[in-house]
Amino acid sequence: MSLKRKKGFNIATKSHQAKLLHNGVDFAKTKLFFNQVVQLYFRLVDKHPDGGDIAPNKGGGWRFYEALTIGDNPKYFIPSE
């Protein structure tokens, strides 16, 4: 959705650049955790391929797999430390 010009108004845009400093930070654990989570969801899609065929507004698609791993009674647990 783009902004439309209105008489008497100016459209101002502003951008900000910032440099991320990660001195002494090791992202190896984050990468390992991310890869484990991705692997879990790939296994879930492989084990329950029918979840992708259900419409998201009827509890299918990504919601189907989210319900298996997140909530009060998850069937599968997301890896953690």
Side-chain angles (χ1 to χ4, degrees), residues 14-79:
K14 201 178 220 184
S15 63
H16 180 76
Q17 286 187 334
K19 185 175 182 180
L20 176 64
L21 300 175
H22 48 84
N23 298 334
V25 176
D26 182 21
F27 290 106
K29 283 179 87 173
T30 303
K31 182 179 177 182
L32 176 66
F33 176 71
F34 176 80
N35 289 339
Q36 288 174 343
V37 172
V38 170
Q39 185 181 28
L40 168 70
Y41 279 103
F42 270 97
R43 285 196 321 257
L44 284 177
V45 171
D46 188 46
K47 192 170 187 174
H48 304 282
D50 53 329
D53 296 334
I54 305 168
N57 60 350
K58 296 188 178 175
W62 62 270
R63 294 174 190 261
F64 177 82
Y65 301 107
E66 186 180 64
L68 291 174
T69 57
I70 300 171
D72 294 333
N73 298 314
K75 194 171 180 182
Y76 302 94
F77 294 95
I78 294 177

